[in-house]
Amino acid sequence: MDGEGANWQKLIGVALFLAIISLMGGYLGWLHPLGDSLAVGRGIAAVAVLILAVAASFAGLRMAAFAALLLAMLTGGQVLLAYAWPGPPGQYLVYQKNMLFRNNDLAALEADIRAADPAIVTLQEVSEPNLALLANLKDSYPQQLVCPGRTVGGPAVLTNLSVVPGTEFCGPGLAALQVAAGKDRFWVVSLHLSWPWPYNQAKQVELILPVLDKLKGPAVLAGDFNMVRWATSVKRLSDILEVRPTGPTLGTYVGWSDWFRLPIDHVFATRSGRVVPRGAHGSDHLGLLAEVAL
């Protein structure tokens, strides 16, 4: 191999090594919150490793290329499955929405909620101006719990089901209550997590875990997690409440670009369920309409 070929081989080898480090680092959220931040780009990192593995093969790094190709297929396949799996049918409709604290199209959002006709609505960033939407929906959703939040507003749960008296409470970035419908009785939690590392998501999760641990029985957990569903922080929350993600995973944050959507809003339920996207309607997040199974 001539000098130029050797240089290309070294360059591709270094690039492949860095891509693998980035990909594997996304599995280390249990060790440090940085791992969860890297998990957001797991799909992109898997594609990068796949492309560089092909390049490494042509550069003569066949053993490294083979191992990297298997790694990319395994990790990328998990992400692809999350986006492709449709989820099972369910019994109750849940409308999940980060409203955006400065929403300028509340009328469209109200119309979309009424058109979807869910039994439960979970909201985040319910600011003072956004309370007008809740007031307008009082006729259809008389049971409403609104909790205080950060400067952008707090979480809320709206429902036309019967609320079990004395079960409503607010927590660190969450609103929760228990509802009863026929023989069914289950918890509903609306959650808004902080941004991930280097911000305070990991600390907030530590505060929320003992709260969710006290909720026994079937549950629905919905909200703006500011994190992908396969990250350690989200898995810890869903595991302690014993809920499963509805499918498929959907790109919901459109604040950067409609072409680059982050899958950071989710709906979980005890027996999973299926979910479809709804419009933005004045927000930088798409809504989710989930059919949850309990």
Side-chain angles (χ1 to χ4, degrees):
M1 181 180 294
D2 58 26
E4 184 176 352
N7 288 337
W8 272 110
Q9 188 181 71
K10 290 179 181 179
L11 180 63
I12 292 172
V14 169
L16 180 59
F17 175 76
L18 293 176
I20 291 174
I21 291 296
S22 176
L23 177 59
M24 297 310 297
Y27 288 88
L28 299 179
W30 58 271
L31 185 63
H32 191 280
L34 172 60
D36 278 352
S37 297
L38 292 174
V40 175
R42 182 174 297 174
I44 296 173
V47 172
V49 170
L50 179 64
I51 294 172
L52 289 168
V54 173
S57 178
F58 283 108
L61 301 172
R62 290 185 174 83
M63 288 299 295
F66 179 73
L69 185 63
L70 289 179
L71 177 64
M73 292 176 65
L74 177 62
T75 56
Q78 293 174 337
V79 175
L80 186 61
L81 182 61
Y83 276 97
W85 180 69
Q91 307 114 301
Y92 298 97
L93 282 180
V94 178
Y95 191 108
Q96 153 58 28
K97 180 71 171 181
N98 179 322
M99 299 178 65
L100 183 64
F101 67 99
R102 55 174 184 270
N103 191 302
N104 60 3
D105 201 0
L106 293 179
L109 180 54
E110 178 186 347
D112 194 52
I113 292 173
R114 291 187 184 278
D117 193 27
I120 299 162
V121 181
T122 54
L123 301 171
Q124 298 81 45
E125 297 199 18
V126 182
S127 61
E128 193 70 29
N130 285 347
L131 288 173
L133 173 72
L134 279 67
N136 289 346
L137 289 172
K138 195 77 173 180
D139 60 330
S140 297
Y141 300 95
Q143 306 291 341
Q144 301 188 359
L145 172 64
V146 183
C147 292
R150 303 185 295 271
T151 55
V152 296
V157 178
L158 286 60
T159 183
N160 53 29
L161 302 176
S162 298
V163 174
V164 178
T167 60
E168 309 99 318
F169 70 91
C170 299
L174 65 85
L177 50 77
Q178 193 177 42
V179 297
K183 295 181 180 180
D184 294 334
R185 180 175 291 198
F186 57 96
W187 289 95
V188 179
V189 181
S190 174
L191 179 65
H192 192 187
L193 292 184
S194 302
W195 288 358
W197 187 90
Y199 296 94
N200 295 323
Q201 185 175 109
K203 293 180 180 179
Q204 185 184 3
V205 168
E206 292 299 331
L207 295 174
I208 292 172
L209 286 172
V211 176
L212 296 185
D213 193 35
K214 296 177 182 178
L215 307 185
K216 304 304 179 183
V220 174
L221 173 65
D224 173 9
F225 291 74
N226 272 310
M227 181 51 60
V228 292
R229 82 180 203 194
W230 48 81
T232 299
S233 59
V234 178
K235 287 177 66 66
R236 292 180 71 195
L237 294 171
S238 61
D239 286 350
I240 204 164
L241 199 55
E242 297 182 353
V243 290
R244 304 172 185 174
T246 57
T249 288
L250 297 168
T252 52
Y253 179 71
V254 294
W256 291 342
S257 169
D258 195 48
W259 295 98
F260 185 69
R261 302 178 178 184
L262 291 178
I264 59 174
D265 298 79
H266 313 289
V267 179
F268 294 81
T270 300
R271 293 186 180 272
S272 185
R274 58 181 55 166
V275 65
V276 294
R278 306 295 286 196
H281 303 307
S283 176
D284 51 0
H285 289 248
L286 299 182
L288 295 175
L289 183 62
E291 185 181 303
V292 298
L294 298 166

